[in-house]
Amino acid sequence: MGIKVLKSGLHSTIQDIGRIGLQALGVGVSGAMDVYAMRMANILVGNNEKEAVMEITWIGPVLEFEQDGVISLFGAEMSPTINRETIQMGCPILVRKGDVLRLGVSKKGCRCYLAIRGGFDVSSVFGSKSTYSLGEFGGFKGRALQEGDTIYWNEVSLMKNLSSNWRLSPKLNHYQNNNVIRFVAGKQYSWFTENSQNVFASQLYTVTLDSNRTGYRLCGEQSLKVENDKELLTEGTVFGTIQIPQNGQPIVLMADRQPTGGYPKIGEVITVDLRVLAQKKPKDMIYFQPVSLKEAHQQLILLEKEIKLVKKIVNQKLEVES
Amino acid sequence: MHSFHPLGDSAIIVHFDGDSSSEIHGKIVSLASMLQGSELDGFLEAVPSYTTLTIHYNPLLIGKDDPYEYVCRQVDLLIKKLPAHTDLAGRQVDIPVCYGGDFGPDLDYVASYHNLSVQEVIAIHMEPIYPVYFLGFSPGFPYLGGLLPKLETPRKETPRKTIPKGSVGIAGRQTGIYPLGSPGGWQIIGQTPLRLFSINQDSPALLQPGDNIRFYPISRQQFMDWGKEDGN
């Protein structure tokens, strides 16, 4: 029950929702960059939403299936084909022994999630299957997939009556078109000059090439300034913390961040917009918009309701087809 | 004195003020262990630093109108239960270090920077008991207090591309140990054969916040032979 990696693509790793509970030991959380897309991919094949998936970045891999299986793709549009024939995203797909799945260069978005019914057969390290590159553990041998690797999955029943006459509405992917990233003010927000606060919430920022799973380095025309050169003692961070180092250009900490950081935090991206940012690639442009903590929580509850609704509908479909 | 600050929509930072860093440290470590044992709704994990405890929570698991307010209130109740003076019963961990030579390429520089002999630098470095404030930066990396001011040394102007794991260094007012090989700008004065982090252990990190460590010297031969007996 293996998938053979014929070409690795730019950066493909195994991720779940992350490794929670070891940050106090200095271990990063990791996990999928776009957890929403990861959950959708799992829902589509009837997996537990938190099951590990393959996160495929920007340039896709070429994969050969050594057995029949059921897969799904959700997230960035990477022109997927099986045996050179275009396949749909956002639905379960039956793959046959010997089939070759190709994903190309992303046309929209940056990260596509491949789920397989039954889940990837990699061991859980400290409660998570996520790849932690810095610590070289978790996922597939603690690293990104390489040409020649074979990754296995857990055997489960195939879906014999798979009709493939339905797929999720493309509207569920529209978040990738957004370029407004909402944030709540951070602990050191008041350290920044009034001018810097205004600039941050109004100027256009470009995602630079120096952006990855650890952090997104952004570049804006005007740099931000802290009043009186205050210095910060290292303290906790989250996925979405917007740090401003001395050069005044933001770094947004992402899934592979360190648990603590020493730069002033102007704010934190709200959880529902992390998926928007995670789908941005270098040269994409974004704005930041301040919102209240209450708004952030309300948005989170709304998105969760949406996911639950999709799950309910998909499960009804899958019951008929399995 | 303490204050609460949101860290996005899924974490809060509790900031402690006070005159004594050891008292703040004691409160942070005690509060973190109280939280581990509590049944606070939505609690995920607590991460100590020098003057703060970051508490991660899942707002969706707290069926309240204002999850932030709820977590702050519950944590405030726990803080009120903290004893006025927290004497940390941290373990003492002895760390063997082979100072100088290949293992400590910057020992000579540190000595000449302070007009001390190499032996004096080693003796001064071994003298204090260093509290482990917290772990961060990389798995098992301890942020230590207690470096004597007479050994404070600026970072290297050009960071090294690779520093071997176990390296013991000085950077400004801090001393520390690199658990993994990585680039870095610390002045490296020695190396320990101990593993600070291993995924194959029940307790993966050798050190915990609240521990106290002490360095002691070993010879090059002892370093090479280290762990041979117990198969590490």
Side-chain angles (χ1 to χ4, degrees), chain A residues 21-23 25 187 236 268 271 297, chain B residues 7 9 15 45 49 54 139-140:
Chain A
L22 268 79
Q23 289 190 78
L25 301 185
K187 185 162 173 257
E268 271 76 28
T271 299
H297 284 143
Chain B
L7 183 68
D9 53 33
H15 190 121
E45 57 184 316
S49 76
T54 299

Side-chain angles (χ1 to χ4, degrees), chain A residues 160-229:
Chain A
K160 295 292 181 199
N161 307 315
L162 207 57
S163 65
S164 62
N165 64 354
W166 61 274
R167 65 178 179 127
L168 293 181
S169 163
K171 280 183 187 168
L172 294 174
N173 250 320
H174 281 185
Y175 67 94
Q176 293 184 30
N177 302 336
N178 292 353
N179 63 355
V180 176
I181 307 292
R182 290 166 290 182
F183 75 98
V184 293
K187 185 162 173 257
Q188 287 84 35
Y189 183 76
S190 64
W191 286 20
F192 292 87
T193 62
E194 204 184 323
N195 182 53
S196 285
Q197 292 171 356
N198 292 334
V199 166
F200 179 68
S202 59
Q203 80 172 340
L204 198 58
Y205 278 106
T206 308
V207 176
T208 70
L209 266 170
D210 200 6
S211 297
N212 51 37
R213 284 184 44 87
T214 304
Y216 271 35
R217 285 173 186 268
L218 308 177
C219 181
E221 199 177 303
Q222 296 183 59
S223 55
L224 308 181
K225 286 184 184 66
V226 165
E227 279 182 277
N228 315 327
D229 282 334

Side-chain angles (χ1 to χ4, degrees), chain B residues 183-202:
Chain B
W186 291 45
Q187 307 283 357
I188 305 302
I189 60 170
Q191 195 175 332
T192 177
L194 295 185
R195 292 181 74 160
L196 270 74
F197 190 86
S198 166
I199 63 164
N200 303 318
Q201 290 163 7
D202 291 341

Side-chain angles (χ1 to χ4, degrees), chain B residues 201-214:
Chain B
Q201 290 163 7
D202 291 341
S203 176
L206 176 70
L207 302 168
Q208 304 280 342
D211 287 348
N212 292 297
I213 72 169
R214 195 162 212 165

Side-chain angles (χ1 to χ4, degrees), chain B residues 25-67:
Chain B
H25 173 53
K27 280 185 175 165
I28 289 169
V29 174
S30 307
L31 180 59
S33 75
M34 274 168 101
L35 278 162
Q36 298 298 349
S38 78
E39 285 173 13
L40 179 65
D41 288 343
F43 171 74
L44 295 176
E45 57 184 316
V47 184
S49 76
Y50 289 117
T51 56
T52 66
L53 186 68
T54 299
I55 298 165
H56 297 262
Y57 66 94
N58 182 346
L60 295 168
L61 296 180
I62 302 173
K64 304 281 192 297
D65 270 356
D66 191 339

